[in-house]
Amino acid sequence: MRLIGGALALSLAEFLPWSQVYQLMALVLVPCIVAMFLTDEPNVSSPSPKNFYESVVLPFQDFFTRKGAWLVIAFILLYKLGDNMGGALSTKFYLDMQYSKIEIGAASKLVGWIAIVAGSLIGGFFMVSMRIRNALFIFGVFQAISTAAFALLAVFSHNTLLLAAIIAFENFTAGLGTAAFSTLIARLTNKRFTATQYALLTSVMGVPRYLSGAPTGYIVEAVGWTSFYIFCGLVAIPGILLSLRVKENSNGEISL
């Protein structure tokens, strides 16, 4: 997604019209569609839900009758809010800072892809030995710092090495945070209703990405890029503080 749909597509746009770039990206999807039709369905040992009540209503009922369920929803909404706000206008920001499409593609997609893979792997490694609360707090602090660091690009204007370094740092910390966040969501699901509850929680996780994008343009217009990214770093604080409420019992069950 990042290398072909990101770095390659953005670099091609420097030489080709966007209509041709999107046509090429559509062709890239063809092998994926073929592979999907050639893949067999997995064997399922447990019986499938028999009706709407068992597949949807019962899993929702199980989750929202837990103590602290709404606090969990609030935490999921807030934990990556600053990160999502900071990324909503990232390409517009790079262009305003006079970076070329090739520079943006190489730094934000290629370097960023390597950094986020490294962060996810290292974050997964630390999750084996760290308490989930500590991981969420520490990784959340790093995410907030890396988001605020984009203010430096606005101060020092066009600096390709600084661009690559800050994007690498931000993607690396995003990988760390995602490793901890995904672990939390997986642990919050009841094994009887894994599919529905995991879908519910990951859908909630995606809400800030879409809703936070709406006001960002107005904020940038009002305060400028430097203050905007500092603000995005500060917006992450409530979610980071909520991570301190995460509790884990001796059976590995998670609650807030």
Side-chain angles (χ1 to χ4, degrees):
M1 181 182 70
R2 280 178 172 261
L3 290 178
I4 297 176
L8 179 61
L10 201 55
S11 298
L12 287 173
E14 192 79 12
F15 310 101
L16 299 174
W18 277 108
S19 58
Q20 293 183 21
V21 173
Y22 277 111
Q23 289 168 9
L24 289 171
M25 293 304 105
L27 289 175
V28 170
L29 290 174
V30 173
C32 303
I33 296 170
V34 173
M36 180 188 69
F37 281 107
L38 295 176
T39 302
D40 294 329
E41 290 288 339
N43 294 320
V44 180
S45 56
S46 57
S48 301
K50 297 181 178 63
N51 49 50
F52 181 82
Y53 178 80
E54 292 183 1
S55 61
V56 178
V57 178
L58 200 57
F60 272 65
Q61 187 180 67
D62 171 81
F63 180 81
F64 284 105
T65 53
R66 298 181 198 174
K67 183 180 178 180
W70 288 106
L71 197 59
V72 170
I73 297 296
F75 173 70
I76 292 173
L77 287 171
L78 292 173
Y79 187 67
K80 279 187 166 289
L81 180 60
D83 187 44
N84 289 328
M85 287 186 69
L89 293 176
S90 57
T91 301
K92 167 65 175 169
F93 170 62
Y94 302 145
L95 292 172
D96 280 0
M97 295 300 108
Q98 305 301 311
Y99 293 101
S100 69
K101 293 185 180 71
I102 292 178
E103 288 174 323
I104 297 170
S108 68
K109 307 303 181 181
L110 182 58
V111 174
W113 176 76
I114 295 170
I116 200 168
V117 169
S120 300
L121 291 173
I122 293 172
F125 173 78
F126 279 112
M127 288 306 301
V128 175
S129 56
M130 288 182 73
R131 291 173 60 89
I132 193 165
R133 180 180 65 182
N134 296 343
L136 287 166
F137 180 80
I138 294 170
F139 297 164
V141 169
F142 279 123
Q143 280 183 160
I145 293 172
S146 68
T147 300
F150 277 90
L152 293 173
L153 287 175
V155 173
F156 292 100
S157 66
H158 194 283
N159 186 319
T160 306
L161 288 178
L162 184 62
L163 173 71
I166 290 178
I167 286 176
F169 180 42
E170 193 274 334
N171 279 270
F172 180 78
T173 59
L176 293 176
T178 300
F181 205 40
S182 299
T183 301
L184 173 73
I185 289 176
R187 297 273 292 279
L188 283 169
T189 59
N190 184 328
K191 291 183 179 179
R192 289 178 57 204
F193 313 114
T194 301
T196 302
Q197 290 185 356
Y198 192 84
L200 164 68
L201 296 175
T202 51
S203 297
V204 172
M205 183 173 66
V207 168
R209 187 182 308 120
Y210 298 104
L211 295 185
S212 64
T216 52
Y218 296 104
I219 297 172
V220 171
E221 188 174 4
V223 303
W225 287 113
T226 304
S227 298
F228 169 71
Y229 279 110
I230 294 172
F231 172 74
C232 290
L234 295 175
V235 165
I237 292 176
I240 294 170
L241 294 178
L242 269 178
S243 69
L244 296 175
R245 293 183 57 93
V246 175
K247 301 179 183 68
E248 183 176 4
N249 62 25
S250 57
N251 297 322
E253 296 175 343
I254 299 293
S255 63
L256 265 76

mmCIF file of all heavy atoms in Angstrom, residues 12-30:
data_model
loop_
_atom_site.group_PDB
_atom_site.id
_atom_site.type_symbol
_atom_site.label_atom_id
_atom_site.label_comp_id
_atom_site.label_asym_id
_atom_site.label_seq_id
_atom_site.Cartn_x
_atom_site.Cartn_y
_atom_site.Cartn_z
ATOM 1 N N LEU A 12 5.134 9.024 -9.689
ATOM 2 C CA LEU A 12 4.640 9.026 -11.066
ATOM 3 C C LEU A 12 3.850 10.286 -11.385
ATOM 4 O O LEU A 12 3.855 10.768 -12.529
ATOM 5 C CB LEU A 12 3.759 7.788 -11.304
ATOM 6 C CG LEU A 12 4.471 6.437 -11.412
ATOM 7 C CD1 LEU A 12 3.455 5.310 -11.469
ATOM 8 C CD2 LEU A 12 5.377 6.398 -12.642
ATOM 9 N N ALA A 13 3.176 10.837 -10.349
ATOM 10 C CA ALA A 13 2.371 12.041 -10.563
ATOM 11 C C ALA A 13 3.225 13.246 -10.929
ATOM 12 O O ALA A 13 2.690 14.254 -11.421
ATOM 13 C CB ALA A 13 1.553 12.344 -9.315
ATOM 14 N N GLU A 14 4.527 13.148 -10.708
ATOM 15 C CA GLU A 14 5.427 14.231 -11.105
ATOM 16 C C GLU A 14 5.569 14.289 -12.624
ATOM 17 O O GLU A 14 5.881 15.334 -13.186
ATOM 18 C CB GLU A 14 6.799 14.004 -10.452
ATOM 19 C CG GLU A 14 7.748 15.177 -10.542
ATOM 20 C CD GLU A 14 7.438 16.253 -9.511
ATOM 21 O OE1 GLU A 14 6.648 16.021 -8.580
ATOM 22 O OE2 GLU A 14 7.996 17.348 -9.656
ATOM 23 N N PHE A 15 5.316 13.126 -13.293
ATOM 24 C CA PHE A 15 5.524 13.044 -14.748
ATOM 25 C C PHE A 15 4.255 12.735 -15.528
ATOM 26 O O PHE A 15 4.169 13.020 -16.719
ATOM 27 C CB PHE A 15 6.566 11.955 -15.061
ATOM 28 C CG PHE A 15 7.822 12.075 -14.249
ATOM 29 C CD1 PHE A 15 8.025 11.258 -13.156
ATOM 30 C CD2 PHE A 15 8.788 13.018 -14.564
ATOM 31 C CE1 PHE A 15 9.188 11.356 -12.388
ATOM 32 C CE2 PHE A 15 9.949 13.131 -13.817
ATOM 33 C CZ PHE A 15 10.151 12.303 -12.724
ATOM 34 N N LEU A 16 3.250 12.139 -14.872
ATOM 35 C CA LEU A 16 2.016 11.742 -15.554
ATOM 36 C C LEU A 16 0.823 12.467 -14.945
ATOM 37 O O LEU A 16 0.846 12.829 -13.765
ATOM 38 C CB LEU A 16 1.795 10.226 -15.420
ATOM 39 C CG LEU A 16 2.855 9.295 -16.005
ATOM 40 C CD1 LEU A 16 2.540 7.850 -15.640
ATOM 41 C CD2 LEU A 16 2.933 9.457 -17.522
ATOM 42 N N PRO A 17 -0.251 12.662 -15.711
ATOM 43 C CA PRO A 17 -1.474 13.236 -15.120
ATOM 44 C C PRO A 17 -2.088 12.254 -14.129
ATOM 45 O O PRO A 17 -1.918 11.030 -14.252
ATOM 46 C CB PRO A 17 -2.380 13.442 -16.340
ATOM 47 C CG PRO A 17 -1.843 12.545 -17.396
ATOM 48 C CD PRO A 17 -0.368 12.436 -17.159
ATOM 49 N N TRP A 18 -2.801 12.798 -13.137
ATOM 50 C CA TRP A 18 -3.362 11.945 -12.089
ATOM 51 C C TRP A 18 -4.316 10.886 -12.646
ATOM 52 O O TRP A 18 -4.431 9.794 -12.093
ATOM 53 C CB TRP A 18 -4.090 12.809 -11.062
ATOM 54 C CG TRP A 18 -3.164 13.408 -10.037
ATOM 55 C CD1 TRP A 18 -2.793 14.709 -9.926
ATOM 56 C CD2 TRP A 18 -2.491 12.704 -8.990
ATOM 57 N NE1 TRP A 18 -1.915 14.859 -8.876
ATOM 58 C CE2 TRP A 18 -1.717 13.655 -8.281
ATOM 59 C CE3 TRP A 18 -2.461 11.378 -8.579
ATOM 60 C CZ2 TRP A 18 -0.934 13.320 -7.184
ATOM 61 C CZ3 TRP A 18 -1.680 11.035 -7.486
ATOM 62 C CH2 TRP A 18 -0.922 11.985 -6.803
ATOM 63 N N SER A 19 -5.009 11.187 -13.741
ATOM 64 C CA SER A 19 -5.938 10.210 -14.314
ATOM 65 C C SER A 19 -5.204 8.933 -14.714
ATOM 66 O O SER A 19 -5.690 7.816 -14.473
ATOM 67 C CB SER A 19 -6.648 10.808 -15.537
ATOM 68 O OG SER A 19 -5.695 11.211 -16.521
ATOM 69 N N GLN A 20 -4.012 9.068 -15.316
ATOM 70 C CA GLN A 20 -3.223 7.890 -15.704
ATOM 71 C C GLN A 20 -2.641 7.175 -14.488
ATOM 72 O O GLN A 20 -2.544 5.941 -14.469
ATOM 73 C CB GLN A 20 -2.108 8.307 -16.668
ATOM 74 C CG GLN A 20 -2.607 8.783 -18.025
ATOM 75 C CD GLN A 20 -1.471 9.117 -18.978
ATOM 76 O OE1 GLN A 20 -0.345 8.668 -18.809
ATOM 77 N NE2 GLN A 20 -1.768 9.935 -19.984
ATOM 78 N N VAL A 21 -2.248 7.935 -13.481
ATOM 79 C CA VAL A 21 -1.718 7.322 -12.251
ATOM 80 C C VAL A 21 -2.781 6.435 -11.607
ATOM 81 O O VAL A 21 -2.516 5.298 -11.213
ATOM 82 C CB VAL A 21 -1.251 8.403 -11.250
ATOM 83 C CG1 VAL A 21 -0.864 7.765 -9.908
ATOM 84 C CG2 VAL A 21 -0.068 9.177 -11.820
ATOM 85 N N TYR A 22 -4.022 6.931 -11.521
ATOM 86 C CA TYR A 22 -5.095 6.148 -10.915
ATOM 87 C C TYR A 22 -5.445 4.922 -11.763
ATOM 88 O O TYR A 22 -5.814 3.866 -11.232
ATOM 89 C CB TYR A 22 -6.339 7.019 -10.701
ATOM 90 C CG TYR A 22 -6.276 7.834 -9.423
ATOM 91 C CD1 TYR A 22 -6.133 9.213 -9.456
ATOM 92 C CD2 TYR A 22 -6.339 7.212 -8.171
ATOM 93 C CE1 TYR A 22 -6.053 9.956 -8.284
ATOM 94 C CE2 TYR A 22 -6.272 7.937 -7.002
ATOM 95 C CZ TYR A 22 -6.119 9.308 -7.060
ATOM 96 O OH TYR A 22 -6.047 10.033 -5.906
ATOM 97 N N GLN A 23 -5.344 5.037 -13.068
ATOM 98 C CA GLN A 23 -5.575 3.876 -13.934
ATOM 99 C C GLN A 23 -4.518 2.796 -13.687
ATOM 100 O O GLN A 23 -4.831 1.600 -13.631
ATOM 101 C CB GLN A 23 -5.564 4.310 -15.399
ATOM 102 C CG GLN A 23 -6.786 5.125 -15.808
ATOM 103 C CD GLN A 23 -6.628 5.793 -17.158
ATOM 104 O OE1 GLN A 23 -5.667 5.535 -17.892
ATOM 105 N NE2 GLN A 23 -7.555 6.684 -17.512
ATOM 106 N N LEU A 24 -3.272 3.208 -13.530
ATOM 107 C CA LEU A 24 -2.204 2.249 -13.227
ATOM 108 C C LEU A 24 -2.421 1.591 -11.871
ATOM 109 O O LEU A 24 -2.199 0.385 -11.702
ATOM 110 C CB LEU A 24 -0.844 2.952 -13.260
ATOM 111 C CG LEU A 24 -0.337 3.375 -14.644
ATOM 112 C CD1 LEU A 24 0.905 4.251 -14.513
ATOM 113 C CD2 LEU A 24 -0.018 2.135 -15.489
ATOM 114 N N MET A 25 -2.854 2.373 -10.884
ATOM 115 C CA MET A 25 -3.107 1.816 -9.551
ATOM 116 C C MET A 25 -4.273 0.816 -9.579
ATOM 117 O O MET A 25 -4.287 -0.160 -8.839
ATOM 118 C CB MET A 25 -3.406 2.944 -8.554
ATOM 119 C CG MET A 25 -2.226 3.859 -8.264
ATOM 120 S SD MET A 25 -0.752 2.975 -7.654
ATOM 121 C CE MET A 25 0.304 3.012 -9.124
ATOM 122 N N ALA A 26 -5.257 1.088 -10.458
ATOM 123 C CA ALA A 26 -6.372 0.145 -10.601
ATOM 124 C C ALA A 26 -5.888 -1.190 -11.157
ATOM 125 O O ALA A 26 -6.333 -2.262 -10.735
ATOM 126 C CB ALA A 26 -7.442 0.751 -11.511
ATOM 127 N N LEU A 27 -4.939 -1.145 -12.109
ATOM 128 C CA LEU A 27 -4.377 -2.379 -12.675
ATOM 129 C C LEU A 27 -3.619 -3.189 -11.626
ATOM 130 O O LEU A 27 -3.618 -4.421 -11.656
ATOM 131 C CB LEU A 27 -3.443 -2.043 -13.845
ATOM 132 C CG LEU A 27 -4.116 -1.528 -15.125
ATOM 133 C CD1 LEU A 27 -3.061 -1.126 -16.146
ATOM 134 C CD2 LEU A 27 -5.043 -2.599 -15.715
ATOM 135 N N VAL A 28 -2.989 -2.488 -10.685
ATOM 136 C CA VAL A 28 -2.235 -3.169 -9.620
ATOM 137 C C VAL A 28 -3.176 -4.042 -8.769
ATOM 138 O O VAL A 28 -2.766 -5.069 -8.234
ATOM 139 C CB VAL A 28 -1.505 -2.131 -8.740
ATOM 140 C CG1 VAL A 28 -0.909 -2.782 -7.491
ATOM 141 C CG2 VAL A 28 -0.407 -1.445 -9.540
ATOM 142 N N LEU A 29 -4.438 -3.646 -8.679
ATOM 143 C CA LEU A 29 -5.400 -4.390 -7.855
ATOM 144 C C LEU A 29 -5.850 -5.698 -8.494
ATOM 145 O O LEU A 29 -6.367 -6.578 -7.808
ATOM 146 C CB LEU A 29 -6.629 -3.524 -7.571
ATOM 147 C CG LEU A 29 -6.432 -2.338 -6.624
ATOM 148 C CD1 LEU A 29 -7.703 -1.510 -6.563
ATOM 149 C CD2 LEU A 29 -6.048 -2.817 -5.232
ATOM 150 N N VAL A 30 -5.668 -5.839 -9.799
ATOM 151 C CA VAL A 30 -6.163 -7.028 -10.503
ATOM 152 C C VAL A 30 -5.585 -8.328 -9.938
ATOM 153 O O VAL A 30 -6.336 -9.276 -9.658
ATOM 154 C CB VAL A 30 -5.906 -6.911 -12.022
ATOM 155 C CG1 VAL A 30 -6.256 -8.216 -12.731
ATOM 156 C CG2 VAL A 30 -6.711 -5.754 -12.612
#
